[in-house]
Amino acid sequence: MRFSLKSKIGLMALLIAFNMILRIPWVPHELGIDSFVVHSLANSITKFGEARWWIHPASIIGSYPYSEPSSLSFLLSGFAQILGVDTETAILLYNFILTFASIFFAYLMAGAIWDNDLFKFLVAFLFSTSQGIVTFSTWTVHSRTLFVMIFPLFIYILLKLRGIGKLRFGSLALLMLGLLAATHHYIYFVVPIAASFFGSIVLYHAYLWAKKSNRINDPDVVLGGLLL
């Protein structure tokens, strides 16, 4: 199904407005235990100009004792300093900005799977308005939320490796992997996803090779054997 450009703009504007309304705070301060931990780390970066919990390279991704994944703390500290606001206000603004970006990330990912306008808008709508996403992106800050909300962008980049611009999207995929690793330990779940993607590419090229080879009469048998 295809929508006109006017319909796309209208639907996207309504979706963005609806998401912003859902995230209007109902309390006068930030929420969540994890939020206060990240808040304090961001304050530490702002005060000292460095992450003082970095005592080993593995501290960057929170894989060393007494360390936490660092990307979100640096992001909040940067927001607060650039905008000239306190960290709590930066968290509120961060939620709105991340929500806005995640809608387009989900839309892009859906388009890479199936280029159907209705499908793309449904995926963006369901992703951005799901209960978990809304709850953990309303004046609170969790590293797992950032991971989940930018993960569709990684899937989009990964799927674009199938077409032209492999070097460009390959570089972006590596950068995204680094960002995800520095965001949350959910990065461990990305490994089997990426492995299955590249494994399917290998199987597909093996199938094409078998199909083109004059020495193999039934390439489907070869593909079945590889899958087994």
Side-chain angles (χ1 to χ4, degrees), residues 21-222:
I21 292 171
L22 286 178
R23 287 164 176 80
I24 294 175
W26 62 89
V27 291
H29 52 76
E30 65 182 283
L31 299 168
I33 297 175
D34 289 354
S35 184
F36 293 111
V37 173
V38 177
H39 186 149
S40 63
L41 293 176
N43 284 345
S44 175
I45 295 172
T46 301
K47 180 179 180 179
F48 299 109
E50 61 182 1
R52 293 202 165 183
W53 63 91
W54 284 9
I55 55 178
H56 186 275
S59 300
I60 299 173
I61 60 174
S63 294
Y64 197 75
Y66 306 109
S67 66
E68 289 285 337
S70 308
S71 66
L72 184 53
S73 302
F74 275 91
L75 181 61
L76 284 179
S77 176
F79 269 7
Q81 293 181 70
I82 291 172
L83 299 175
V85 297
D86 60 87
T87 306
E88 189 172 51
T89 303
I91 290 172
L92 179 62
L93 297 175
Y94 152 84
N95 286 152
F96 286 118
I97 294 171
L98 180 62
T99 298
F100 178 82
S102 69
I103 292 171
F104 291 96
F105 295 160
Y107 185 88
L108 287 173
M109 179 192 69
I113 297 172
W114 183 23
D115 189 15
N116 180 287
D117 289 339
L118 179 60
F119 174 72
K120 290 186 284 187
F121 277 104
L122 283 176
V123 170
F125 173 80
L126 293 174
F127 178 80
S128 61
T129 60
S130 60
Q131 188 270 336
I133 294 294
V134 173
T135 299
F136 292 106
S137 60
T138 303
W139 210 349
T140 187
V141 59
H142 299 263
S143 55
R144 70 177 67 87
T145 307
L146 176 61
F147 186 99
V148 172
M149 293 180 78
I150 65 175
F151 189 67
L153 179 61
F154 174 73
I155 297 297
Y156 165 75
I157 294 172
L158 203 62
L159 293 175
K160 295 299 287 186
L161 289 172
R162 299 173 300 175
I164 60 175
K166 290 183 174 63
L167 179 60
R168 177 180 60 184
F169 284 105
S171 301
L172 288 173
L174 290 176
L175 288 174
M176 280 296 299
L177 274 175
L179 175 61
L180 292 172
T183 299
H184 198 274
H185 293 146
Y186 280 173
I187 187 65
Y188 300 128
F189 295 104
V190 176
V191 175
I193 294 174
S196 62
F197 174 78
F198 288 110
S200 65
I201 292 177
V202 171
L203 290 176
Y204 176 71
H205 285 288
Y207 174 80
L208 292 181
W209 173 81
K211 193 173 182 180
K212 292 179 180 179
S213 176
N214 294 327
R215 295 175 297 174
I216 300 176
N217 296 323
D218 192 354
D220 291 330
V221 174
V222 175

